[in-house]
Amino acid sequence: MGTQHVVTMLPGEGTGPEICEAVRMVIDASGVNIKWEYEDIGLDCLEKYGTLLPDKTVQNIAKNKVALKGPTTTPIGTGHKSANVTLRKVFDLYANVRPAKLIPVLKRPWDKIDILNFRENTEDCYAAIEHMVSDEVAQCLKVITWPGSYRIADFAFKWAKEQGRKKVYCVHKANIMKMTDGLFLDAFREVAKKYPDIESGDIIVDNCCMQLVRNPAQFDCLVLPNLYGDILTDLCAGLVGGLGFAPGANVGDGCAIFEAVHGSAPKYAGMKKVNPSAVLVSGVMMLRWLKEEAAADRITKAMFAVLDERKHVTYDVGGTATTDEYAQAIVDKMHAKV
Amino acid sequence: MPTFTETAKATKKKREIKLVGSDMYIITEKGIPKFDDIGPFKCEFISNRGTKVWPGFVSPDLLQVNWYRCRFMATKDVQDADVNTFLDALTKKGWWWSAAQKLWNYDGEPGFSKAY
């Protein structure tokens, strides 16, 4: 056993706990040494703590600086703030890293998609500055700052360079929002000068959407303000097989939280039928963050092999396996290859 | 036959509006502002880029810019003129503010968001 990592596990609600248990089983079987510390988050906390994100959870994440999170649900139109957004705000997790890569066995109409999205995670219309400025007019402030824009671009270029990526493009609407998106683009261009070996450029968000669905292979790395990032990362997930296989990481200067981006599917809770792959591939991202590349590779290969065989896959990819059976098949495949 | 615009405008409901405070957008290079009560207005929270920075826990890693939203709530019934007096007092205390946004309740419900 190598270095022990202490990781906060946030199972979330709905199908989250059963997914996270399956993922934990796979990660623990990969040979990595992780001590998991479980904490509560989400709707189930409301009755117990009166909040979606208890202080105890915040303190544990602050201590461990890395967490794996299951799905949570944000109530629509109620007074409760999203636990996800609160986490990003409290820990200033400014970089939402959302890879979109084709999984070989999932039949898609494209030969190649390998896009790394870097979504700014703390600003834009997510600054929660909303007012009813008259009895028939609502207003939401779109807050874009120079340092907030600069650091996400810098983060993206650095990550891209480390991964051997070739192109980083800024997605914006600066032709219309000349102050806000204009500032975001200016900061991006300033950062790009520091990375002369990487091709940089920009694309207007609506054109980017059209190009993504026509010819996604042309894109490499994208840097986006928060709201466009929210939308385009889900679009990219749809291109490669849906949210069921989409990993995500929320990274700040002092902390990283890895999470699936799909919902908690409460109607399936306890049925152990949902696909845990999104949390699993988020866990794989976490392992790479922890420099556990061998374990990450082992899980990825085993998962692809199980998907390829189609004998032990969940209903969403045409199988009948339960969450646990799918996870066990990945574990068995890892052990078979040792 | 009314147009869609006319139909939409006709749906407007009458709502009771009550002034309850003001958000002040303060520019300062000196970090998180501190305020004493100013007349009937009491500072309830301060946020930066939408994240609450006072009162309570602030991550040492949190990026803060020089623009703070400071929420002042009225501690008694106030009128628009009280906001004018409040703005004068704030200016005289040396605070440089970029904008003020009055806070109203509509039919008793807040017409403004809280900070994260």
Side-chain angles (χ1 to χ4, degrees), chain A residues 42-87:
Chain A
L43 280 178
D44 294 347
C45 295
L46 266 183
E47 202 171 306
K48 195 170 168 187
Y49 303 101
T51 172
L52 296 170
L53 181 62
D55 283 346
K56 183 170 170 291
T57 301
V58 171
Q59 298 305 329
N60 189 269
I61 298 169
K63 173 177 77 73
N64 293 336
K65 302 188 186 314
V66 60
L68 181 62
K69 181 180 159 298
T72 52
T73 302
T74 302
I76 297 172
T78 70
H80 300 294
K81 297 289 188 187
S82 154
N84 284 341
V85 178
T86 307
L87 270 180

mmCIF file of all heavy atoms in Angstrom, chain A residues 42-87:
data_model
loop_
_atom_site.group_PDB
_atom_site.id
_atom_site.type_symbol
_atom_site.label_atom_id
_atom_site.label_comp_id
_atom_site.label_asym_id
_atom_site.label_seq_id
_atom_site.Cartn_x
_atom_site.Cartn_y
_atom_site.Cartn_z
ATOM 1 N N GLY A 42 -26.829 17.992 1.276
ATOM 2 C CA GLY A 42 -28.029 17.875 0.449
ATOM 3 C C GLY A 42 -29.331 17.928 1.229
ATOM 4 O O GLY A 42 -29.360 18.244 2.425
ATOM 5 N N LEU A 43 -30.401 17.587 0.519
ATOM 6 C CA LEU A 43 -31.752 17.743 1.072
ATOM 7 C C LEU A 43 -31.954 17.006 2.388
ATOM 8 O O LEU A 43 -32.673 17.472 3.275
ATOM 9 C CB LEU A 43 -32.787 17.234 0.060
ATOM 10 C CG LEU A 43 -33.158 18.177 -1.091
ATOM 11 C CD1 LEU A 43 -34.141 17.498 -2.022
ATOM 12 C CD2 LEU A 43 -33.739 19.472 -0.554
ATOM 13 N N ASP A 44 -31.308 15.833 2.515
ATOM 14 C CA ASP A 44 -31.499 15.047 3.730
ATOM 15 C C ASP A 44 -30.972 15.766 4.972
ATOM 16 O O ASP A 44 -31.301 15.405 6.095
ATOM 17 C CB ASP A 44 -30.799 13.683 3.596
ATOM 18 C CG ASP A 44 -31.466 12.820 2.520
ATOM 19 O OD1 ASP A 44 -32.579 13.186 2.095
ATOM 20 O OD2 ASP A 44 -30.878 11.808 2.117
ATOM 21 N N CYS A 45 -30.134 16.764 4.768
ATOM 22 C CA CYS A 45 -29.570 17.505 5.905
ATOM 23 C C CYS A 45 -30.547 18.536 6.462
ATOM 24 O O CYS A 45 -30.384 19.008 7.588
ATOM 25 C CB CYS A 45 -28.304 18.267 5.477
ATOM 26 S SG CYS A 45 -26.970 17.203 4.990
ATOM 27 N N LEU A 46 -31.538 18.904 5.650
ATOM 28 C CA LEU A 46 -32.412 20.008 6.056
ATOM 29 C C LEU A 46 -33.080 19.750 7.403
ATOM 30 O O LEU A 46 -33.076 20.600 8.295
ATOM 31 C CB LEU A 46 -33.477 20.244 4.992
ATOM 32 C CG LEU A 46 -33.173 21.312 3.935
ATOM 33 C CD1 LEU A 46 -34.351 21.465 3.013
ATOM 34 C CD2 LEU A 46 -32.793 22.632 4.564
ATOM 35 N N GLU A 47 -33.631 18.530 7.542
ATOM 36 C CA GLU A 47 -34.339 18.218 8.778
ATOM 37 C C GLU A 47 -33.385 18.126 9.960
ATOM 38 O O GLU A 47 -33.658 18.609 11.048
ATOM 39 C CB GLU A 47 -35.082 16.892 8.612
ATOM 40 C CG GLU A 47 -36.227 16.719 9.583
ATOM 41 C CD GLU A 47 -37.059 15.480 9.222
ATOM 42 O OE1 GLU A 47 -37.503 15.381 8.068
ATOM 43 O OE2 GLU A 47 -37.209 14.637 10.106
ATOM 44 N N LYS A 48 -32.217 17.554 9.696
ATOM 45 C CA LYS A 48 -31.259 17.283 10.770
ATOM 46 C C LYS A 48 -30.487 18.541 11.190
ATOM 47 O O LYS A 48 -30.240 18.772 12.367
ATOM 48 C CB LYS A 48 -30.286 16.212 10.268
ATOM 49 C CG LYS A 48 -29.454 15.536 11.327
ATOM 50 C CD LYS A 48 -28.741 14.332 10.696
ATOM 51 C CE LYS A 48 -27.672 13.769 11.608
ATOM 52 N NZ LYS A 48 -26.888 12.713 10.937
ATOM 53 N N TYR A 49 -30.091 19.339 10.203
ATOM 54 C CA TYR A 49 -29.221 20.476 10.493
ATOM 55 C C TYR A 49 -29.845 21.838 10.145
ATOM 56 O O TYR A 49 -29.286 22.878 10.461
ATOM 57 C CB TYR A 49 -27.905 20.368 9.715
ATOM 58 C CG TYR A 49 -27.121 19.102 9.976
ATOM 59 C CD1 TYR A 49 -27.163 18.044 9.075
ATOM 60 C CD2 TYR A 49 -26.322 18.966 11.119
ATOM 61 C CE1 TYR A 49 -26.433 16.880 9.293
ATOM 62 C CE2 TYR A 49 -25.590 17.814 11.344
ATOM 63 C CZ TYR A 49 -25.649 16.772 10.420
ATOM 64 O OH TYR A 49 -24.919 15.626 10.641
ATOM 65 N N GLY A 50 -30.955 21.825 9.397
ATOM 66 C CA GLY A 50 -31.564 23.089 8.980
ATOM 67 C C GLY A 50 -30.840 23.749 7.831
ATOM 68 O O GLY A 50 -31.066 24.919 7.521
ATOM 69 N N THR A 51 -29.928 23.047 7.191
ATOM 70 C CA THR A 51 -29.189 23.599 6.061
ATOM 71 C C THR A 51 -28.809 22.460 5.117
ATOM 72 O O THR A 51 -28.724 21.305 5.538
ATOM 73 C CB THR A 51 -27.913 24.322 6.531
ATOM 74 O OG1 THR A 51 -27.124 24.680 5.389
ATOM 75 C CG2 THR A 51 -27.062 23.456 7.443
ATOM 76 N N LEU A 52 -28.577 22.806 3.847
ATOM 77 C CA LEU A 52 -28.162 21.782 2.877
ATOM 78 C C LEU A 52 -26.681 21.443 3.036
ATOM 79 O O LEU A 52 -26.224 20.398 2.566
ATOM 80 C CB LEU A 52 -28.413 22.279 1.448
ATOM 81 C CG LEU A 52 -29.874 22.538 1.055
ATOM 82 C CD1 LEU A 52 -29.943 23.259 -0.278
ATOM 83 C CD2 LEU A 52 -30.654 21.241 0.977
ATOM 84 N N LEU A 53 -25.938 22.336 3.662
ATOM 85 C CA LEU A 53 -24.489 22.134 3.798
ATOM 86 C C LEU A 53 -24.081 22.439 5.247
ATOM 87 O O LEU A 53 -23.787 23.584 5.594
ATOM 88 C CB LEU A 53 -23.733 23.057 2.825
ATOM 89 C CG LEU A 53 -22.213 22.956 2.835
ATOM 90 C CD1 LEU A 53 -21.742 21.562 2.437
ATOM 91 C CD2 LEU A 53 -21.610 24.001 1.891
ATOM 92 N N PRO A 54 -24.047 21.400 6.097
ATOM 93 C CA PRO A 54 -23.738 21.625 7.516
ATOM 94 C C PRO A 54 -22.287 22.093 7.729
ATOM 95 O O PRO A 54 -21.394 21.740 6.949
ATOM 96 C CB PRO A 54 -23.933 20.236 8.150
ATOM 97 C CG PRO A 54 -24.685 19.438 7.147
ATOM 98 C CD PRO A 54 -24.368 19.996 5.808
ATOM 99 N N ASP A 55 -22.066 22.859 8.784
ATOM 100 C CA ASP A 55 -20.715 23.356 9.122
ATOM 101 C C ASP A 55 -19.726 22.206 9.290
ATOM 102 O O ASP A 55 -18.560 22.316 8.920
ATOM 103 C CB ASP A 55 -20.761 24.174 10.421
ATOM 104 C CG ASP A 55 -21.328 25.560 10.176
ATOM 105 O OD1 ASP A 55 -21.418 25.953 8.998
ATOM 106 O OD2 ASP A 55 -21.685 26.230 11.165
ATOM 107 N N LYS A 56 -20.226 21.105 9.877
ATOM 108 C CA LYS A 56 -19.344 19.954 10.125
ATOM 109 C C LYS A 56 -18.760 19.440 8.801
ATOM 110 O O LYS A 56 -17.583 19.066 8.732
ATOM 111 C CB LYS A 56 -20.192 18.859 10.799
ATOM 112 C CG LYS A 56 -19.468 17.613 11.208
ATOM 113 C CD LYS A 56 -20.405 16.760 12.076
ATOM 114 C CE LYS A 56 -19.837 15.374 12.330
ATOM 115 N NZ LYS A 56 -19.810 14.530 11.138
ATOM 116 N N THR A 57 -19.577 19.441 7.779
ATOM 117 C CA THR A 57 -19.114 19.006 6.450
ATOM 118 C C THR A 57 -18.074 19.975 5.904
ATOM 119 O O THR A 57 -17.032 19.569 5.384
ATOM 120 C CB THR A 57 -20.323 18.916 5.492
ATOM 121 O OG1 THR A 57 -21.258 17.993 6.029
ATOM 122 C CG2 THR A 57 -19.895 18.476 4.098
ATOM 123 N N VAL A 58 -18.359 21.265 6.040
ATOM 124 C CA VAL A 58 -17.413 22.290 5.562
ATOM 125 C C VAL A 58 -16.066 22.128 6.264
ATOM 126 O O VAL A 58 -15.005 22.170 5.623
ATOM 127 C CB VAL A 58 -17.991 23.706 5.810
ATOM 128 C CG1 VAL A 58 -16.936 24.779 5.537
ATOM 129 C CG2 VAL A 58 -19.218 23.931 4.940
ATOM 130 N N GLN A 59 -16.110 21.913 7.577
ATOM 131 C CA GLN A 59 -14.858 21.803 8.343
ATOM 132 C C GLN A 59 -14.066 20.561 7.912
ATOM 133 O O GLN A 59 -12.839 20.602 7.828
ATOM 134 C CB GLN A 59 -15.154 21.725 9.855
ATOM 135 C CG GLN A 59 -15.845 22.964 10.426
ATOM 136 C CD GLN A 59 -15.083 24.246 10.148
ATOM 137 O OE1 GLN A 59 -13.857 24.264 10.057
ATOM 138 N NE2 GLN A 59 -15.818 25.345 9.964
ATOM 139 N N ASN A 60 -14.770 19.466 7.636
ATOM 140 C CA ASN A 60 -14.068 18.246 7.232
ATOM 141 C C ASN A 60 -13.409 18.419 5.866
ATOM 142 O O ASN A 60 -12.258 17.999 5.658
ATOM 143 C CB ASN A 60 -15.042 17.054 7.207
ATOM 144 C CG ASN A 60 -14.315 15.740 6.996
ATOM 145 O OD1 ASN A 60 -14.143 15.308 5.865
ATOM 146 N ND2 ASN A 60 -13.841 15.127 8.070
ATOM 147 N N ILE A 61 -14.096 19.044 4.946
ATOM 148 C CA ILE A 61 -13.512 19.280 3.614
ATOM 149 C C ILE A 61 -12.313 20.224 3.749
ATOM 150 O O ILE A 61 -11.276 20.025 3.101
ATOM 151 C CB ILE A 61 -14.551 19.870 2.644
ATOM 152 C CG1 ILE A 61 -15.710 18.891 2.430
ATOM 153 C CG2 ILE A 61 -13.909 20.211 1.305
ATOM 154 C CD1 ILE A 61 -16.906 19.495 1.711
ATOM 155 N N ALA A 62 -12.459 21.247 4.608
ATOM 156 C CA ALA A 62 -11.351 22.195 4.804
ATOM 157 C C ALA A 62 -10.117 21.472 5.329
ATOM 158 O O ALA A 62 -8.985 21.810 4.983
ATOM 159 C CB ALA A 62 -11.780 23.299 5.761
ATOM 160 N N LYS A 63 -10.346 20.463 6.160
ATOM 161 C CA LYS A 63 -9.223 19.701 6.726
ATOM 162 C C LYS A 63 -8.577 18.801 5.663
ATOM 163 O O LYS A 63 -7.354 18.798 5.517
ATOM 164 C CB LYS A 63 -9.733 18.835 7.895
ATOM 165 C CG LYS A 63 -8.693 17.862 8.450
ATOM 166 C CD LYS A 63 -9.230 17.106 9.641
ATOM 167 C CE LYS A 63 -10.191 15.986 9.297
ATOM 168 N NZ LYS A 63 -9.569 14.797 8.706
ATOM 169 N N ASN A 64 -9.394 18.074 4.918
ATOM 170 C CA ASN A 64 -8.854 17.068 3.993
ATOM 171 C C ASN A 64 -8.439 17.639 2.630
ATOM 172 O O ASN A 64 -7.624 17.055 1.934
ATOM 173 C CB ASN A 64 -9.887 15.957 3.776
ATOM 174 C CG ASN A 64 -10.127 15.152 5.037
ATOM 175 O OD1 ASN A 64 -9.269 15.107 5.920
ATOM 176 N ND2 ASN A 64 -11.294 14.540 5.151
ATOM 177 N N LYS A 65 -9.068 18.731 2.239
ATOM 178 C CA LYS A 65 -8.745 19.436 0.989
ATOM 179 C C LYS A 65 -9.064 18.649 -0.282
ATOM 180 O O LYS A 65 -8.746 19.098 -1.385
ATOM 181 C CB LYS A 65 -7.278 19.896 0.969
ATOM 182 C CG LYS A 65 -6.923 20.808 2.144
ATOM 183 C CD LYS A 65 -5.551 21.392 2.016
ATOM 184 C CE LYS A 65 -5.147 22.176 3.258
ATOM 185 N NZ LYS A 65 -6.178 23.079 3.764
ATOM 186 N N VAL A 66 -9.663 17.488 -0.125
ATOM 187 C CA VAL A 66 -10.126 16.755 -1.308
ATOM 188 C C VAL A 66 -11.373 15.966 -0.929
ATOM 189 O O VAL A 66 -11.449 15.413 0.176
ATOM 190 C CB VAL A 66 -9.013 15.839 -1.878
ATOM 191 C CG1 VAL A 66 -8.554 14.813 -0.876
ATOM 192 C CG2 VAL A 66 -9.459 15.166 -3.162
ATOM 193 N N ALA A 67 -12.349 15.975 -1.833
ATOM 194 C CA ALA A 67 -13.612 15.290 -1.549
ATOM 195 C C ALA A 67 -14.152 14.663 -2.827
ATOM 196 O O ALA A 67 -13.887 15.143 -3.940
ATOM 197 C CB ALA A 67 -14.637 16.282 -0.988
ATOM 198 N N LEU A 68 -14.902 13.566 -2.637
ATOM 199 C CA LEU A 68 -15.640 12.938 -3.733
ATOM 200 C C LEU A 68 -17.120 13.049 -3.380
ATOM 201 O O LEU A 68 -17.526 12.660 -2.287
ATOM 202 C CB LEU A 68 -15.234 11.469 -3.888
ATOM 203 C CG LEU A 68 -15.919 10.701 -5.019
ATOM 204 C CD1 LEU A 68 -15.597 11.317 -6.383
ATOM 205 C CD2 LEU A 68 -15.487 9.232 -5.005
ATOM 206 N N LYS A 69 -17.883 13.592 -4.313
ATOM 207 C CA LYS A 69 -19.264 13.935 -3.983
ATOM 208 C C LYS A 69 -20.255 13.207 -4.891
ATOM 209 O O LYS A 69 -20.081 13.176 -6.115
ATOM 210 C CB LYS A 69 -19.440 15.450 -4.128
ATOM 211 C CG LYS A 69 -20.816 15.961 -3.793
ATOM 212 C CD LYS A 69 -20.888 17.466 -3.979
ATOM 213 C CE LYS A 69 -22.333 17.890 -4.142
ATOM 214 N NZ LYS A 69 -22.987 17.310 -5.312
ATOM 215 N N GLY A 70 -21.280 12.662 -4.283
ATOM 216 C CA GLY A 70 -22.381 12.083 -5.033
ATOM 217 C C GLY A 70 -23.373 13.161 -5.415
ATOM 218 O O GLY A 70 -23.201 14.336 -5.084
ATOM 219 N N PRO A 71 -24.432 12.770 -6.122
ATOM 220 C CA PRO A 71 -25.381 13.778 -6.597
ATOM 221 C C PRO A 71 -26.236 14.367 -5.483
ATOM 222 O O PRO A 71 -26.571 13.683 -4.506
ATOM 223 C CB PRO A 71 -26.246 12.991 -7.580
ATOM 224 C CG PRO A 71 -26.118 11.570 -7.179
ATOM 225 C CD PRO A 71 -24.753 11.410 -6.590
ATOM 226 N N THR A 72 -26.602 15.618 -5.646
ATOM 227 C CA THR A 72 -27.544 16.292 -4.744
ATOM 228 C C THR A 72 -28.573 17.015 -5.611
ATOM 229 O O THR A 72 -28.338 17.259 -6.790
ATOM 230 C CB THR A 72 -26.848 17.313 -3.828
ATOM 231 O OG1 THR A 72 -26.062 18.195 -4.645
ATOM 232 C CG2 THR A 72 -25.953 16.645 -2.826
ATOM 233 N N THR A 73 -29.684 17.351 -4.991
ATOM 234 C CA THR A 73 -30.745 18.049 -5.721
ATOM 235 C C THR A 73 -30.875 19.463 -5.188
ATOM 236 O O THR A 73 -30.842 19.680 -3.981
ATOM 237 C CB THR A 73 -32.100 17.323 -5.531
ATOM 238 O OG1 THR A 73 -31.947 15.986 -6.002
ATOM 239 C CG2 THR A 73 -33.207 18.011 -6.305
ATOM 240 N N THR A 74 -31.003 20.423 -6.103
ATOM 241 C CA THR A 74 -31.239 21.802 -5.689
ATOM 242 C C THR A 74 -32.729 22.091 -5.804
ATOM 243 O O THR A 74 -33.292 21.988 -6.896
ATOM 244 C CB THR A 74 -30.473 22.782 -6.593
ATOM 245 O OG1 THR A 74 -29.082 22.455 -6.528
ATOM 246 C CG2 THR A 74 -30.679 24.206 -6.134
ATOM 247 N N PRO A 75 -33.388 22.436 -4.679
ATOM 248 C CA PRO A 75 -34.810 22.752 -4.781
ATOM 249 C C PRO A 75 -35.020 23.977 -5.681
ATOM 250 O O PRO A 75 -34.273 24.946 -5.588
ATOM 251 C CB PRO A 75 -35.203 23.078 -3.331
ATOM 252 C CG PRO A 75 -34.068 22.646 -2.472
ATOM 253 C CD PRO A 75 -32.851 22.605 -3.333
ATOM 254 N N ILE A 76 -36.003 23.890 -6.568
ATOM 255 C CA ILE A 76 -36.266 25.010 -7.479
ATOM 256 C C ILE A 76 -37.270 25.948 -6.832
ATOM 257 O O ILE A 76 -38.302 25.519 -6.323
ATOM 258 C CB ILE A 76 -36.813 24.488 -8.827
ATOM 259 C CG1 ILE A 76 -35.747 23.621 -9.511
ATOM 260 C CG2 ILE A 76 -37.222 25.641 -9.749
ATOM 261 C CD1 ILE A 76 -36.242 22.896 -10.746
ATOM 262 N N GLY A 77 -36.941 27.230 -6.848
ATOM 263 C CA GLY A 77 -37.892 28.244 -6.432
ATOM 264 C C GLY A 77 -38.187 28.282 -4.951
ATOM 265 O O GLY A 77 -39.205 28.818 -4.527
ATOM 266 N N THR A 78 -37.296 27.695 -4.132
ATOM 267 C CA THR A 78 -37.480 27.814 -2.692
ATOM 268 C C THR A 78 -36.368 28.696 -2.146
ATOM 269 O O THR A 78 -35.490 29.128 -2.873
ATOM 270 C CB THR A 78 -37.399 26.448 -1.996
ATOM 271 O OG1 THR A 78 -36.041 25.998 -2.051
ATOM 272 C CG2 THR A 78 -38.308 25.449 -2.656
ATOM 273 N N GLY A 79 -36.386 28.937 -0.854
ATOM 274 C CA GLY A 79 -35.388 29.831 -0.269
ATOM 275 C C GLY A 79 -34.040 29.185 -0.039
ATOM 276 O O GLY A 79 -33.108 29.842 0.405
ATOM 277 N N HIS A 80 -33.903 27.872 -0.348
ATOM 278 C CA HIS A 80 -32.645 27.194 -0.027
ATOM 279 C C HIS A 80 -31.615 27.357 -1.123
ATOM 280 O O HIS A 80 -31.892 27.122 -2.295
ATOM 281 C CB HIS A 80 -32.908 25.712 0.231
ATOM 282 C CG HIS A 80 -33.845 25.475 1.359
ATOM 283 N ND1 HIS A 80 -33.516 25.803 2.655
ATOM 284 C CD2 HIS A 80 -35.101 24.986 1.388
ATOM 285 C CE1 HIS A 80 -34.547 25.501 3.436
ATOM 286 N NE2 HIS A 80 -35.521 25.012 2.693
ATOM 287 N N LYS A 81 -30.425 27.751 -0.712
ATOM 288 C CA LYS A 81 -29.334 27.896 -1.668
ATOM 289 C C LYS A 81 -28.818 26.519 -2.067
ATOM 290 O O LYS A 81 -28.784 25.595 -1.257
ATOM 291 C CB LYS A 81 -28.192 28.694 -1.037
ATOM 292 C CG LYS A 81 -28.568 30.120 -0.663
ATOM 293 C CD LYS A 81 -28.751 30.973 -1.887
ATOM 294 C CE LYS A 81 -28.938 32.436 -1.521
ATOM 295 N NZ LYS A 81 -29.281 33.237 -2.708
ATOM 296 N N SER A 82 -28.376 26.412 -3.301
ATOM 297 C CA SER A 82 -27.815 25.154 -3.797
ATOM 298 C C SER A 82 -26.591 24.768 -2.978
ATOM 299 O O SER A 82 -25.685 25.581 -2.754
ATOM 300 C CB SER A 82 -27.427 25.340 -5.261
ATOM 301 O OG SER A 82 -26.395 24.451 -5.619
ATOM 302 N N ALA A 83 -26.545 23.486 -2.542
ATOM 303 C CA ALA A 83 -25.372 23.003 -1.799
ATOM 304 C C ALA A 83 -24.134 23.042 -2.689
ATOM 305 O O ALA A 83 -23.034 23.376 -2.241
ATOM 306 C CB ALA A 83 -25.629 21.579 -1.298
ATOM 307 N N ASN A 84 -24.321 22.717 -3.966
ATOM 308 C CA ASN A 84 -23.194 22.724 -4.899
ATOM 309 C C ASN A 84 -22.598 24.113 -5.036
ATOM 310 O O ASN A 84 -21.378 24.300 -4.950
ATOM 311 C CB ASN A 84 -23.644 22.257 -6.293
ATOM 312 C CG ASN A 84 -23.827 20.756 -6.348
ATOM 313 O OD1 ASN A 84 -23.299 20.046 -5.507
ATOM 314 N ND2 ASN A 84 -24.570 20.295 -7.322
ATOM 315 N N VAL A 85 -23.468 25.093 -5.277
ATOM 316 C CA VAL A 85 -22.953 26.458 -5.473
ATOM 317 C C VAL A 85 -22.327 26.967 -4.182
ATOM 318 O O VAL A 85 -21.276 27.623 -4.198
ATOM 319 C CB VAL A 85 -24.079 27.396 -5.965
ATOM 320 C CG1 VAL A 85 -23.550 28.821 -6.121
ATOM 321 C CG2 VAL A 85 -24.643 26.907 -7.292
ATOM 322 N N THR A 86 -22.944 26.629 -3.046
ATOM 323 C CA THR A 86 -22.382 27.061 -1.769
ATOM 324 C C THR A 86 -20.982 26.491 -1.568
ATOM 325 O O THR A 86 -20.067 27.197 -1.143
ATOM 326 C CB THR A 86 -23.302 26.640 -0.607
ATOM 327 O OG1 THR A 86 -24.610 27.116 -0.867
ATOM 328 C CG2 THR A 86 -22.816 27.229 0.714
ATOM 329 N N LEU A 87 -20.813 25.204 -1.897
ATOM 330 C CA LEU A 87 -19.479 24.590 -1.785
ATOM 331 C C LEU A 87 -18.452 25.350 -2.626
ATOM 332 O O LEU A 87 -17.342 25.636 -2.178
ATOM 333 C CB LEU A 87 -19.522 23.150 -2.278
ATOM 334 C CG LEU A 87 -19.834 22.048 -1.281
ATOM 335 C CD1 LEU A 87 -19.827 20.701 -1.999
ATOM 336 C CD2 LEU A 87 -18.843 22.019 -0.133
#
